[in-house]
Amino acid sequence: MTILVVNNKGQYNHRIQRSLQYLKIDSQLVSNTLTIEEIEAKNPTGLILGGGPSIEGSGNSEEYIKHFDVPILGICLGHQLIAKSYGGEVSTSNTESYAQVQINIINDENLFEGLAPEMAVWSSHKDEVKSIPEEFEILANSKLCDIESFKHKDKDIYGIQFHPEVHHTPKGSQIFENFYKICKK
C-alpha cells in the first residue's frame, strides 16, 4: 500500500512525504519524469501530486492524471494540473497568497471528514484554478480563492490549493489520513 508523492519541484514536496512517514503511511517520493511504466512498476495505491513553481516544470504529471485509476490528490500545482487536465481554467490569482487562510468546507465527506465547517490552512500560490470542469464539484472555498478544493464527481480525484504538509495548517495531517482511508477502500 504505497502512495507515490510526485515531486513537481516545489519547496514542500519532501515535506509531504515526510508528513506521510510521520503518520506511518507507506510512501515514496518520485520524480515527475518517470514514465507511466516506471510508475506502474511501483504499483501505487494512490498518487499525491506535489506543488511546484510552474506548470512547465511538471514533467509527466498530467499523463499520470489521465492514465492512472487510483486515488489522486493534487496539492497546489498538483491541484491546478488536475483542473487543467480535465479542461478547467488556471490563471494568475488576483491576490497572490502567502499566509494562513480560513477555508469554508462545503462538503465534508471523504477528504474533509471531521474537519468542517472551517479550517485554517497555509496558502502559498501565485496561480489558481478559476473554473472547474463539469465533472467536478467544489469542496471548499475562501475569501481569497473560490476554488480551494474540488473533487471529481465519479472518481477519487481531489485537488487542494493549500498546503496540508506545513505546520501553518494545524489539521493538515487529517487531510493525509483521510486520503489514506480513500486509498484503502
Side-chain angles (χ1 to χ4, degrees):
M1 290 242 358
T2 301
I3 294 174
L4 298 183
V5 179
V6 178
N7 187 347
N8 281 314
K9 304 176 184 158
Q11 60 182 339
Y12 300 133
N13 283 249
H14 290 84
R15 181 78 182 118
I16 295 169
Q17 202 262 327
R18 203 169 325 124
S19 295
L20 295 173
Q21 282 182 326
Y22 293 153
L23 296 169
K24 308 245 185 291
I25 297 171
D26 189 32
S27 60
Q28 182 183 356
L29 185 66
V30 297
S31 170
N32 65 12
T33 60
L34 293 181
T35 64
I36 295 288
E37 293 75 25
E38 289 171 315
I39 296 284
E40 283 176 339
K42 295 180 180 297
N43 197 27
T45 55
L47 297 176
I48 296 178
L49 304 173
S54 68
I55 286 179
E56 293 75 32
S58 62
N60 296 326
S61 291
E62 285 190 67
E63 289 179 44
Y64 306 155
I65 294 164
K66 293 172 186 171
H67 178 81
F68 287 100
D69 189 24
V70 297
I72 298 174
L73 172 62
I75 298 174
C76 199
L77 176 63
H79 163 80
Q80 297 160 16
L81 290 168
I82 291 169
K84 183 177 175 284
S85 294
Y86 279 88
E89 181 190 351
V90 177
S91 65
T92 302
S93 171
N94 295 334
T95 55
E96 288 185 34
S97 180
Y98 301 95
Q100 194 174 55
V101 175
Q102 281 293 116
I103 64 167
N104 306 303
I105 299 168
I106 299 164
N107 180 338
D108 66 349
E109 296 173 16
N110 299 316
L111 194 64
F112 288 102
E113 184 181 333
L115 295 169
E118 294 181 332
M119 181 179 174
V121 301
W122 179 254
S123 183
S124 172
H125 67 279
K126 181 176 70 167
D127 297 322
E128 67 184 21
V129 176
K130 295 291 189 176
S131 69
I132 57 172
E134 190 176 296
E135 60 267 42
F136 284 77
E137 64 182 293
I138 296 173
L139 299 180
N141 61 27
S142 73
K143 290 179 182 174
L144 294 179
C145 180
D146 291 336
I147 307 170
E148 289 283 357
S149 178
F150 58 65
K151 177 201 182 298
H152 192 286
K153 291 177 182 174
D154 302 316
K155 300 178 182 180
D156 287 319
I157 300 177
Y158 299 84
I160 55 177
Q161 182 61 63
F162 58 90
H163 292 273
E165 70 276 14
V166 299
H167 75 275
H168 295 298
T169 304
K171 295 182 180 177
S173 61
Q174 187 65 45
I175 295 283
F176 290 127
E177 288 173 344
N178 288 344
F179 182 67
Y180 185 52
K181 283 184 203 172
I182 293 165
C183 291
K184 291 195 297 186
K185 285 185 196 174

